Amino acid sequence: IQSVQSIGFDARCSEESPEWFSHDEEPTANHLVYLFRKLSKANYAVAFVPTTKLTGAASLCLGSAVFWKRPRWRLERCLQLEEGAVCVQLASKVGGPRLLACSSKAMASYAIDMGMSPTESDLLQPLLTLSQDLSYEAVALGAQVLWCGDFGVGSKALASALPILDVAKEGKYTEPNPEPSEYCRWGNACASILRDGRGGWTSASRFSAGRVVDHMLTLGLGHALAVLGRRPGSPNAVQLLQSGYPSDHILLFAAFGNPGDLKRSS
């Protein structure tokens, strides 16, 4: 999750400092705490990293968060990577591979929300740095990577800066747990199925409305078999929020596996 409002400008983790999330009279402006309390009823944990302070509010900030289910995953560590990114190293409790789960929204992306016009280079540079850091950690740990975020650019611009695997063009799939050499090839889950020519959008925010700026990148997770992401029609943030949707960016969801899984299940 990106653009989560919190109080203070410190990284937070429910497993490392549970007392911070349990104050009796927590201000309602601390959206992070109230979201965690709601999700913790389903046994979720959270890690959060702040990115930017809110103008005119000295104690409020926006940042990125990762939630995970405690019965399925055990936190091994929180990684300090690129500014605006939260990343956790998780060990599976059900026999699965180690996972690096990352959520990010760089300052340049926040600049778009404020009506500024950062260059494509401004948007892509922090993504390139973060992708290199995640690739290095993945190879060192033999881990899979799931990286979600509001990147501020479309999938074509993303592919111009990062080594994105084009499944349709190359005619092959990324297998789970690839050899280290394969970790340099990112998969873009939604773009691999919902090609740019099919339209749709992920943002109804004022200055990025109608664009695909939210992505789900992977290393070693296999092929995206099914996705939910991008919305047809004209973007309307007011209608989206009035319908009960919690954000002016839509939810991304993907199921991963081997292409043969679809044939076996059918």
Side-chain angles (χ1 to χ4, degrees), residues 163-223:
I164 302 292
L165 177 66
D166 191 329
V167 173
K169 184 177 294 184
E170 300 187 23
K172 67 176 183 177
Y173 301 94
T174 303
E175 296 294 334
N177 301 314
E179 294 298 318
S181 61
E182 286 296 312
Y183 273 111
C184 65
R185 306 301 303 276
W186 287 91
N188 189 333
C190 292
S192 66
I193 295 178
L194 305 176
R195 311 300 292 179
D196 282 345
R198 298 184 184 180
W201 48 270
T202 67
S203 173
S205 184
R206 179 180 176 185
F207 297 105
S208 59
R211 296 173 54 201
V212 176
V213 295
D214 304 275
H215 303 277
M216 182 184 297
L217 303 187
T218 64
L219 286 178
L221 272 173
H223 182 58

Side-chain angles (χ1 to χ4, degrees), residues 34-89:
Y34 283 97
L35 179 58
F36 165 73
R37 289 179 180 178
K38 191 173 184 68
L39 290 176
S40 66
K41 295 177 182 178
N43 213 357
Y44 278 89
V46 66
F48 169 85
V49 169
T51 305
T52 182
K53 294 182 178 180
L54 285 179
T55 303
S59 63
L60 296 181
C61 69
L62 297 176
S64 299
V66 170
F67 289 83
W68 66 93
K69 270 213 161 187
R70 293 188 181 102
R72 185 176 178 87
W73 301 100
R74 174 176 58 84
L75 176 69
E76 292 187 322
R77 62 174 176 144
C78 295
L79 286 72
Q80 299 294 322
L81 300 178
E82 181 72 8
E83 180 184 10
V86 55
C87 183
V88 292
Q89 178 181 317

Side-chain angles (χ1 to χ4, degrees), residues 2 8 12 46 53 69 77 87 100 112 121 147 179 228 230 246:
Q2 299 82 45
R12 305 289 183 183
V46 66
K53 294 182 178 180
K69 270 213 161 187
R77 62 174 176 144
C87 183
L100 295 176
I112 294 177
S121 177
W147 175 17
E179 294 298 318
L228 288 178
R230 305 190 186 178

